[in-house]
Every structure is written in C-alpha cells, then in structure tokens.
Amino acid sequence: MPRFKEGIPYWVKGVLLGCGSFGSVYEGISDKGFSFAVKEVSLLDESSQGKQSINQLEQEIALLSQFEHENIVRYLGTDKDKSKLYIFLELATKGSLLNLYRRNNLTDSEVSAYTRQILHGLKYLHGGEVVHRDIKCANILVDANGCVKLADFGSAKATNLNDVKSFKGTAFWMAPEVLNNENQGYGTPADIWSLGCTVLEMLTGQFPYSPLQPQQALYNLFSGVPPTISDDLSEDARDFIVKCLQTSPSDRPTASELLGHSFAKMSLPTFSG
C-alpha cells in the first residue's frame, strides 16, 4: 500500500463516507487511481469545538504516524489548504463493525475472529503505553479481506508511564475509573472494559446498558455496575465479557492474556462446495 509523504500531488474528493464531531470523512482518489479515506476539518472554525477538532486531528496524526500494525488503520499522509486540514488513511471498504452488525447478525465465531484481531491491535498499543480511550464498534473498521482496523485515535493518549487523567471516551463504553478517577488516573485496563462492552455490543446488536435510560445507565456506570450480560450468550462469550468488565482495573486481564481465552480462539466454520 502506498505511503504518501506530507501530501498527494493531485487528488479528488469522492463520496461522503461519514460524519463525526471532528468533521467529515470522504473517499479520496489519487491521480494514480488509488483510493483512500480522507478526514477533514475546517481551519476557519474559531469556536472551541472547531479548535478541539483540529487538536484531535493533529493528535491523531502524531500517534498514527508512529504506528505500524495490520490491525491499526494505516496513516498515509496529510494535506492542507486555506480552509481545511486533511488526514489520509487507508480505506476500509466494509465500514465499521457497527454497520456490519446492523446489516447482519454476527455469529459467535465471527465475533471471536473480530475480537481476536482487536486484541492484537490493543496488545500493540498497550505495549507502547498508548490508551485508545474510545473502543467501540463505531470506531473499529473492517477491510475487504475481513481484517479489523482500530480507528479514530482522536481521543487516544500516550501514557508515558503515567496514568491518563482526562475525561475521554464515549459514556456507555467507558470504564468506571474514567468517571471516578478522582485524580488517581487510569491506564490501559480502561480499554479492556471498553472491549468487553464492544464484544457484548457485537453479540447482542445493542449498545451496552440498553435498554436503560441514559441517566440510569450513567448512574450504574458511575457506581461500577457493568451492563447486563444476556443469558442467551454462550458460556465462553459470557466468561470473556465478565473478565473484561471487572470493576477494579487490576482485576482485568491484559490483551495478551485475553488472546489465550477460549472465546478469542474459536475457528470460523468452513464450507464445501
């Protein structure tokens, strides 16, 4: 896959792929016919939200430019004009896991395969003392070969061996210690809690803490009460999620340890004919 330098000599903006709080994502097409994803934010927005979007994108560029792993979305370069800042990323044509499970019910073996790849990505990040801080299906992409890509690093933080203390993430996937850190900080186990919520999300097709009202869900989270795990899930899946959703961060396994769990080692069924 091409790795561009600061910019691409010539490229055109294609279809809109999605929108977020930071701005928009489009398909980009280079003059060589290569397709990629383009995140853009306005440089003209003087509001606090606009400045935050630029800061998040610059932080994402700084982190992604250091990463080299098959389960982390590949950074390809940047560009800028008078009004916009752009970041070029590899294009994951199947979209997010959120889109996948909304289109089709995912089987245990499919969720296991995706979970295994998420764990490999987290193992790589955590080995470099980086906390993603916003693991959820909407931020995990899948390419045409079914390869998972951790994405959206606008909230990610290099801990530099010190616990992260700022409030970042998406509420219903957020670990209790992020809400209750009381200046004690938090680290990589926060991503493991979010992973448990993400696996639950893939298997049930619902956000964690559904169908509670947001206020009750946040109260449970603040109190360290994990989302309900359906009895309909397999024993392996339930055990995996329970291990992730331990209230005490020190009780949660690491990504490396979870790769040895039976749920993360399931084989996809084979078909003949």
Side-chain angles (χ1 to χ4, degrees), residues 2 38 54 66 86 89 96 130 143 159 162 168 213 233 251:
V38 182
I54 293 171
Q66 302 172 38
Y86 306 97
L89 304 166
S96 70
V130 173
D143 72 9
T159 64
N162 293 312
K168 288 285 186 180
Q213 293 297 316
L233 301 185
D251 290 338

Side-chain angles (χ1 to χ4, degrees), residues 29-60:
I29 305 168
S30 75
D31 56 344
K32 304 295 184 183
F34 174 72
S35 294
F36 50 96
V38 182
K39 270 190 179 185
E40 69 167 38
V41 295
S42 172
L43 295 172
L44 305 179
D45 188 347
E46 293 295 326
S47 69
S48 58
Q49 178 64 45
K51 292 176 180 177
Q52 182 180 0
S53 295
I54 293 171
N55 288 338
Q56 286 189 339
L57 197 59
E58 289 176 339
Q59 176 173 301
E60 187 166 12

Side-chain angles (χ1 to χ4, degrees), residues 44-94:
L44 305 179
D45 188 347
E46 293 295 326
S47 69
S48 58
Q49 178 64 45
K51 292 176 180 177
Q52 182 180 0
S53 295
I54 293 171
N55 288 338
Q56 286 189 339
L57 197 59
E58 289 176 339
Q59 176 173 301
E60 187 166 12
I61 291 168
L63 282 173
L64 282 177
S65 62
Q66 302 172 38
F67 299 155
E68 190 75 46
H69 192 276
E70 65 177 349
N71 297 124
I72 294 175
V73 68
R74 185 184 294 270
Y75 167 77
L76 301 174
T78 57
D79 200 1
K80 185 163 62 172
D81 57 29
K82 291 182 179 179
S83 61
K84 298 250 178 21
L85 175 65
Y86 306 97
I87 175 173
F88 304 133
L89 304 166
E90 68 174 305
L91 182 63
T93 54
K94 283 192 176 181

Side-chain angles (χ1 to χ4, degrees), residues 100-162:
L100 276 184
Y101 79 65
R102 282 180 170 172
R103 289 197 299 266
N104 305 289
N105 292 329
L106 301 178
T107 65
D108 266 28
S109 56
E110 288 172 321
V111 174
S112 171
Y114 292 140
T115 300
R116 185 163 57 248
Q117 294 182 72
I118 296 168
L119 284 168
H120 280 297
L122 288 177
K123 179 182 176 182
Y124 175 83
L125 288 180
H126 295 172
E129 296 294 335
V130 173
V131 189
H132 185 283
R133 299 205 289 179
D134 204 9
I135 294 292
K136 59 180 181 179
C137 285
N139 289 340
I140 301 169
L141 307 178
V142 184
D143 72 9
N145 298 315
C147 186
V148 161
K149 310 285 182 180
L150 302 187
D152 203 340
F153 283 79
S155 296
K157 186 77 170 179
T159 64
N160 294 324
L161 304 181
N162 293 312

